[in-house]
Amino acid sequence: MSNIYGWQEEVWRKLTGTLGHALLLRGRKGLGKLAFARYLAKSRLCENPSVEGKACEVCASCHWFEQGSHPDFCLVEPEAVTATSVSGEGASEEGVETGDEAETQSLSKAVNQATSKSTKKPSRQISISQIRELGDFVNITSHQNGYKIILIHPAETMNPAAANALLKNLEEPPLQTLFILVTHQAQYLLPTIRSRCRQIAMPVPDAASAALWLKQQGVKAPERCLASAGYSPLTALEFANEDYLVRHSAFIQQISTPSSFDVLGLAEEMQKSDLVMVVSWLQKWCYDLMSFRMAQKVRYHLDMRAQIKSLASGLDPYSMAAYLRALDKTQQLARHPLNPRLFLEELLFSYVTVLSGEFRNRGKAG
Ligand SMILES: [Zn+2]
């Protein structure tokens, strides 16, 4: 990326001058936070930045940065992110195996994955050893004036030991070192880490300019994709691929006709999908049902208004509220389900129960 996104210009201007020793860029997925953080790092390391503080793109430093070999820049990510994506800020993580089939495929995968040397599944967490290695990075002589930048993404994936190790660094910051933490879920960071960083809320573009941007990227139905992505433009861009759209609409089609909906069949069909993604589909669908029931508004599924209206008319809002809370908790478990098929069956049976208005009572009895 050779510049920041249009909706980030204003926040860029706020970041001229000294940055302190730690920044925390926060905001939901799909806003371009990682690209912004990388560009900020590249520009700060540039030998000849512009008056707006932007990278020149031609100096040796800019060249090293683009090659991924800058000696004064260190990117810390979970192995699973490094192994499956270049940009790192995907809306879904469908490249990561979640099911049992990963065991049988792991050998061939290991051959293909230059980054993964063992047949173990790549970790989704940032480990303490990754944070400890930063000690060496900080201590070796740097290329330019001793200035070094460490980018941690997504910061909420640091396990507790890693987070505590980082906290020590932030309490006694090494000289001439800038930490940039990028987080989609700042609430999962240690409060002591948050409080030691300068926090930057990353902007969400308004719907019209985001739709225009998507159109410029060649997206055919920008408004629909944007709504379905919860108004995060990069997520919408990812959603705009044919395969994703087909799978998503097949899923929604099924759960929007609960009278003929085959829970066991759908659970079996979806068991190899990324469950975090499936849970988020359900969350958005249920959010729309609830939102229509309470305020006649549809946020995510603009083209399904008629079906939403018909389902929402008989909906018990208390049951749905309880289910939405349960889905929130489920989202945490979806990364490591013991049995993906059973996980989905339970989720979908509960959904059917909610539509029948009995979820609240069942919850109380259980
Ligand atoms: Zn440069």
Side-chain angles (χ1 to χ4, degrees):
M1 172 151 177
S2 60
N3 209 328
I4 53 176
Y5 294 103
W7 57 88
Q8 296 171 333
E9 289 290 349
E10 201 181 322
V11 72
W12 179 269
R13 285 192 287 274
K14 285 186 197 153
L15 290 175
T16 50
T18 54
L19 295 177
H21 65 267
L23 289 178
L24 175 63
L25 307 184
R26 55 192 294 172
R28 59 175 190 247
K29 270 193 177 182
L31 298 177
K33 299 186 298 298
L34 178 62
F36 183 92
R38 290 181 61 90
Y39 190 72
L40 181 63
K42 177 175 159 184
S43 300
R44 289 286 162 153
L45 293 168
C46 172
E47 291 161 15
N48 190 21
S50 71
V51 276
E52 300 97 40
K54 291 184 175 174
C56 76
E57 310 292 342
V58 292
C59 71
S61 176
C62 284
H63 182 70
W64 290 333
F65 197 94
E66 282 306 310
Q67 299 293 306
S69 61
H70 202 296
D72 300 333
F73 175 72
C74 180
L75 173 64
V76 183
E77 288 183 312
E79 270 177 50
V81 175
T82 316
T84 56
S85 123
V86 181
S87 76
E89 192 170 1
S92 59
E93 297 174 287
E94 292 167 65
V96 182
E97 299 288 347
T98 49
D100 293 335
E101 78 280 4
E103 299 302 320
T104 48
Q105 291 178 3
S106 60
L107 196 62
S108 60
K109 276 189 69 162
V111 176
N112 296 330
Q113 277 176 8
T115 43
S116 174
K117 290 188 183 77
S118 75
T119 55
K120 228 177 81 198
K121 272 196 254 183
S123 171
R124 292 171 182 277
Q125 293 190 328
I126 293 173
S127 67
I128 185 167
S129 61
Q130 285 174 282
I131 299 296
R132 281 195 183 131
E133 281 163 18
L134 293 175
D136 297 336
F137 170 73
V138 168
N139 289 324
I140 52 167
T141 323
S142 75
H143 166 70
Q144 251 194 335
N145 314 323
Y147 196 61
K148 286 173 187 277
I149 299 182
I150 294 160
L151 172 52
I152 302 179
H153 164 266
E156 67 272 19
T157 61
M158 281 186 288
N159 66 27
N164 279 307
L166 178 71
L167 186 59
K168 289 206 179 72
N169 277 295
L170 296 179
E171 280 166 345
E172 292 170 41
L175 287 172
Q176 298 266 65
T177 302
L178 171 66
F179 287 90
I180 306 177
L181 279 63
V182 173
T183 180
H184 315 302
Q185 293 172 303
Q187 71 272 26
Y188 295 130
L189 286 175
L190 290 178
T192 40
I193 287 187
R194 288 202 302 265
S195 69
R196 280 178 173 80
C197 297
R198 176 173 167 195
Q199 299 195 36
I200 311 287
M202 292 302 285
V204 183
D206 64 79
S209 31
L212 182 67
W213 179 79
L214 284 168
K215 211 172 159 192
Q216 288 161 355
Q217 312 306 309
V219 174
K220 287 190 192 99
E223 285 85 7
R224 193 185 132 205
C225 286
L226 192 62
S228 144
Y231 299 88
S232 290
L234 272 64
T235 311
L237 185 61
E238 198 165 326
F239 285 3
N241 83 70
E242 207 51 45
D243 177 53
Y244 180 92
L245 290 176
V246 167
R247 283 193 301 144
H248 180 237
S249 78
F251 180 82
I252 296 296
Q253 212 58 50
Q254 284 240 31
I255 64 169
S256 63
T257 47
S259 53
S260 64
F261 155 36
D262 168 16
V263 168
L264 297 179
L266 186 61
E268 176 148 15
E269 192 184 314
M270 302 296 295
Q271 62 178 321
K272 290 186 180 168
S273 309
D274 173 7
L275 299 183
V276 175
M277 176 189 78
V278 177
V279 173
S280 89
W281 287 354
L282 253 181
Q283 279 176 317
K284 286 174 182 165
W285 176 252
C286 291
Y287 177 95
D288 270 354
L289 292 180
M290 186 70 162
S291 162
F292 198 91
R293 174 73 175 76
M294 306 309 283
Q296 287 76 52
K297 279 186 184 149
V298 172
R299 177 176 166 85
Y300 299 108
H301 307 83
L302 300 180
D303 50 343
M304 300 286 286
R305 203 178 161 85
Q307 292 91 328
I308 289 169
K309 184 179 179 184
S310 116
L311 282 176
S313 65
L315 188 72
D316 170 18
Y318 297 101
S319 281
M320 186 48 97
Y323 186 59
L324 279 166
R325 279 196 301 275
L327 279 179
D328 259 350
K329 285 185 192 146
T330 307
Q331 187 64 277
Q332 304 291 315
L333 306 172
R335 289 192 184 284
H336 309 284
L338 291 174
N339 180 325
R341 188 170 52 80
L342 289 180
F343 175 89
L344 285 169
E345 282 176 13
E346 188 174 336
L347 211 60
L348 296 171
F349 272 125
S350 297
Y351 169 74
V352 174
T353 315
V354 171
L355 292 190
S356 70
E358 285 164 15
F359 186 75
R360 182 168 48 135
N361 300 330
R362 200 198 64 166
K364 274 180 193 154

